[in-house]
Amino acid sequence: MARADTGQQDKEEGGSRPAIEVSDLWAGYNGHAALEGVTLAIEEGCLAGLVGPNGSGKSTLLRVILGLHRPWRGEVRLFGQKVDRARRLLGYMPQVELVDWAFPVTVFDVVMMGRYGRLGLLRNPIRRDREAVWRCLEQVGMTDLARRQIGELSAGQQRRVLIARTLAQEPRILLLDEPFTGLDATAQHDLLDLFNKVRAAGKTLLVATHDLSCVAAAFDHAACLNRKIIAFGEPRTIFTEEVLNATFQTHLLLVNVEGKTYVSYQ
């Protein structure tokens, strides 16, 4: 089982443990398997990509890690703890298409939603919560747009506000579902810079995506998934035509230009 070795210590557990450890995981819907024997370990402080085509099980795996979908077999542990005991360690960013961007709320309001899990049902936001929201907005470069309606945001700004909402949950692990979809090259580059800053702050990121070029450019590790783990390791090592063709069930051509890897669908 491959692991990303960052050498960081898990202070809460008193030793070095994977941030995310998935063991022989089987899961699906209505008797149809979406994941088959998935085994995977992501070390703390890693920026990891979960790559595969639509329908490959990426979102299902995120849902199992979040504790929202019960697996048929196997388990997930977060820093050595079962998910139901460690859910507080997770922050989740959904696919942008699942958000109602016409809803009449401001950027600040959306990020404050990330505090609700800590507020509970009866407590209103207090100064500590508002300060946390401002810190998250500053971290993603969105303080100037805090009072703007979310329907007025660009695609790149939408991702930033969702990441700020995720950070407002004060997670140690961020799960992000297809954050690059619909972004131009400049917005993708800006988002990668933000991921690096979040990782530098000590967070672990697992990003589900089918954008191979972004993962090849900046990620520490990648897991190629198509119901099963096809390969796991550093992108420059595992992103071969053989592995990617097996993952995407189609012929892909890899092109290296000035040290950067580009993927062409044939």
Side-chain angles (χ1 to χ4, degrees):
M1 177 169 60
R3 295 185 178 182
D5 184 10
T6 64
Q8 295 191 28
Q9 297 295 310
D10 176 21
K11 297 179 181 178
E12 286 190 6
E13 295 297 321
S16 180
R17 293 180 182 269
I20 305 170
E21 190 166 17
V22 180
S23 302
D24 193 25
L25 193 72
W26 292 72
Y29 308 90
N30 301 319
H32 298 284
L35 299 171
E36 300 178 2
V38 171
T39 295
L40 179 68
I42 306 294
E43 294 294 335
E44 184 176 9
C46 184
L47 173 57
L50 184 63
V51 301
N54 293 334
S56 61
K58 301 190 301 296
S59 294
T60 299
L61 181 54
L62 294 187
R63 286 177 57 81
V64 172
I65 294 173
L66 287 162
L68 299 177
H69 185 76
R70 185 179 296 276
W72 297 343
R73 193 172 79 202
E75 68 172 3
V76 175
R77 289 185 175 268
L78 307 174
F79 294 105
Q81 303 178 62
K82 291 185 177 181
V83 171
D84 58 356
R85 295 184 57 195
R87 200 170 282 120
R88 70 189 186 283
L89 303 178
L90 292 169
Y92 173 61
M93 174 183 157
Q95 295 182 24
V96 68
E97 293 83 2
L98 301 179
V99 178
D100 181 4
W101 295 102
F103 196 75
V105 291
T106 66
V107 166
F108 187 91
D109 294 332
V110 170
V111 180
M112 181 61 77
M113 292 175 187
R115 302 293 299 172
Y116 288 173
R118 295 181 175 273
L119 290 173
L121 296 176
L122 301 177
R123 187 168 72 81
N124 291 322
I126 59 176
R127 179 178 177 179
R128 180 175 67 247
D129 300 303
R130 291 189 290 272
E131 289 175 346
V133 169
W134 283 114
R135 285 196 302 272
C136 294
L137 286 170
E138 183 177 9
Q139 191 170 354
V140 303
M142 291 285 288
T143 53
D144 291 345
L145 301 179
R147 301 305 180 189
R148 181 166 294 186
Q149 294 288 312
I150 60 170
E152 301 173 6
L153 300 178
S154 69
Q157 291 166 346
Q158 289 174 352
R159 271 57 169 198
R160 287 179 174 271
V161 71
L162 289 179
I163 292 171
R165 184 182 70 169
T166 304
L167 290 171
Q169 301 171 37
E170 299 182 11
R172 294 178 64 188
I173 301 169
L174 282 73
L175 306 179
L176 303 101
D177 200 354
E178 299 289 358
F180 298 110
T181 301
L183 296 183
D184 60 26
T186 299
Q188 288 181 350
H189 184 271
D190 290 344
L191 195 58
L192 287 172
D193 283 345
L194 177 56
F195 288 170
N196 285 327
K197 291 177 182 177
V198 172
R199 173 181 54 181
K203 309 295 185 182
T204 303
L205 298 90
L206 179 59
V207 181
T209 182
H210 59 266
D211 194 311
L212 296 170
S213 296
C214 286
V215 176
F219 282 49
D220 300 315
H221 287 75
C224 294
L225 177 71
N226 196 333
R227 295 196 298 179
K228 302 177 180 179
I229 296 293
I230 307 300
F232 179 79
E234 297 181 10
R236 63 183 177 84
T237 300
I238 68 166
F239 278 8
T240 65
E241 291 187 21
E242 180 181 5
V243 167
L244 296 181
N245 291 341
T247 302
F248 286 84
Q249 300 290 299
T250 188
H251 183 68
L252 302 177
L253 177 65
L254 301 184
V255 179
N256 291 292
V257 179
E258 297 181 351
K260 295 184 179 181
T261 301
Y262 299 90
V263 181
S264 174
Y265 291 81
Q266 301 296 300

